[in-house]
Amino acid sequence: MNSKNYLREVLFSMLIVMLSIGIVSCGNDNDEDGISIGGVNVVGAWALVKDYNGKMESYYQYVVKSGGRVSMPNLWGEYVDGNLVVSYPEQYYDEKLAGAQEYQCSFKGNRVYYEDWEVAKFTVIDSETIEMVSAYNIGSGTLKKIHSIINKHDKPDNNDNPGSQTGEVNLGFIASNGLVYYFIGTFVSIYTDYISFGLSSLDRMCLFRIDDTGNITMDDIDGKYADGILKTTCSKDYRSEPVWKMSYKDENNHVYDASGRHIFDVQCIDGMTFYVQVPNGRSYELKKVTDVYWEYDFGNSGATTR
């Protein structure tokens, strides 16, 4: 046997041994896109979930595409058996997913980098669950694999709470006492952070007005509020353009506009008190206004010009 043939046979024998003990791999089904963490291919959609009154809900999602492109669409939904269950019209969440900005990331070991900055590290629990620790405030918590997005309602204007009124949206909310009250009329929310600094002898507040078609206006106003009565030094009853247009709500009192955007959540305490929570934004305690005194002279309690 000449030396060339001998060398070829030796190399071939070494290759067989290396393949048999796993040193050389001809492919990895778990990492077909080149993005694997802990042996799990992370290409796909993941929901950052939290336990909310016994339900696994998600507001942030992470979509990992082949080549390391990552986007972060924001869709509120309940995570159920691998599905993200949403109330949005299909067109809305399709546009939301397609329009989300993408970031070119790299995956090394159990860490994720963007432009050489470590942004997060992963700990794989199983093929459906990853624990994520954020390095740059992009969200820490449990990621669950999303296999599909499904709509919980046949029609986007479905309302599960009882009650009806003229208008485009059911604004009846079940209170903590079990009765239904309508989220319609004039409300105030007092800026307690403003008052705590003692910047004014008057209360600075936001004036919410909700009509029976779901239009909401918000105006800053100075005045005094007590037991449903608002007294203000404003010269006239002004009203800005609507900032929100409520269209429908689900059984969890998540409120959406006509495009399917989750604008806020409503909690009804009784007919005089509502709470509004804007996703990742300000929360408001709203008190019902039953009467308003405009141009009120606080130096003369008898001046009650309406």
Side-chain angles (χ1 to χ4, degrees):
M1 180 181 297
N2 60 39
S3 59
K4 289 184 178 180
N5 290 336
Y6 178 76
L7 179 60
R8 187 183 299 115
E9 289 187 10
V10 170
L11 290 175
F12 182 74
S13 300
M14 291 177 62
L15 180 61
I16 295 298
V17 173
M18 292 168 69
L19 286 172
S20 68
I21 63 177
I23 297 177
V24 174
S25 175
C26 292
N28 183 352
D29 292 337
N30 290 327
D31 191 21
E32 60 187 10
D33 297 285
I35 304 172
S36 176
I37 294 178
V40 174
N41 186 344
V42 297
V43 171
W46 299 82
L48 183 62
V49 297
K50 66 174 182 177
D51 190 315
Y52 183 78
N53 292 334
K55 295 182 178 181
M56 297 304 294
E57 296 189 351
S58 170
Y59 190 75
Y60 287 106
Q61 294 81 40
Y62 298 86
V63 178
V64 182
K65 299 181 180 180
S66 59
R69 293 169 296 149
V70 179
S71 63
M72 294 176 286
N74 303 114
L75 293 170
W76 175 85
E78 183 182 353
Y79 185 84
V80 181
D81 298 329
N83 301 310
L84 186 64
V85 184
V86 302
S87 298
Y88 306 99
E90 185 174 355
Q91 180 182 359
Y92 174 80
Y93 61 75
D94 285 346
E95 292 176 352
K96 191 76 171 179
L97 292 172
Q101 181 177 353
E102 293 186 354
Y103 302 87
Q104 184 61 55
C105 297
S106 59
F107 293 71
K108 301 175 184 178
N110 69 332
R111 286 170 165 77
V112 182
Y113 298 83
Y114 173 67
E115 295 183 349
D116 296 326
W117 298 336
E118 180 184 327
V119 293
K121 62 180 180 179
F122 291 163
T123 301
V124 173
I125 306 302
D126 53 46
S127 61
E128 301 286 310
T129 310
I130 294 176
E131 291 297 327
M132 179 175 69
V133 177
S134 166
Y136 282 93
N137 196 31
I138 62 171
S140 297
T142 302
L143 295 175
K144 300 289 290 185
K145 188 69 174 286
I146 299 174
H147 295 281
S148 63
I149 298 177
I150 59 178
N151 196 300
K152 69 194 305 180
H153 301 310
D154 293 329
K155 296 181 179 180
D157 58 355
N158 180 72
N159 290 286
D160 293 304
N161 285 334
S164 63
Q165 73 281 332
T166 60
E168 300 176 6
V169 58
N170 182 351
L171 299 176
F173 288 86
I174 301 175
S176 53
N177 59 13
L179 300 178
V180 175
Y181 297 94
Y182 291 104
F183 191 41
I184 301 173
T186 301
F187 301 84
V188 295
S189 177
I190 300 175
Y191 293 137
T192 54
D193 53 346
Y194 180 89
I195 299 169
S196 64
F197 286 99
L199 299 179
S200 175
S201 59
L202 304 181
D203 292 338
R204 185 164 180 247
M205 58 190 72
C206 188
L207 190 64
F208 281 71
R209 282 184 267 202
I210 303 101
D211 65 25
D212 63 358
T213 66
N215 285 312
I216 295 181
T217 61
M218 293 174 58
D219 297 289
D220 285 337
I221 192 171
D222 288 330
K224 292 290 185 181
Y225 174 84
D227 300 325
I229 306 298
L230 171 63
K231 300 175 182 178
T232 175
T233 55
C234 290
S235 60
K236 62 179 181 179
D237 180 0
Y238 64 93
R239 191 186 298 260
S240 65
E241 291 296 318
V243 294
W244 283 314
K245 168 67 173 177
M246 295 190 291
S247 181
Y248 62 96
K249 59 183 171 66
D250 61 23
E251 74 276 9
N252 295 312
N253 294 338
H254 299 293
V255 180
Y256 305 86
D257 63 15
S259 67
R261 182 171 61 104
H262 179 197
I263 50 180
F264 51 73
D265 305 330
V266 174
Q267 179 186 2
C268 178
I269 305 302
D270 52 41
M272 294 295 293
T273 305
F274 288 80
Y275 286 96
V276 167
Q277 173 65 58
V278 180
N280 296 314
R282 194 181 189 96
S283 60
Y284 300 88
E285 179 184 3
L286 302 184
K287 290 292 188 178
K288 181 85 171 183
V289 175
T290 57
D291 208 351
V292 181
Y293 293 87
W294 299 98
E295 296 184 86
Y296 189 82
D297 183 357
F298 289 97
N300 182 355
S301 61
T304 56
T305 303
R306 296 288 296 277

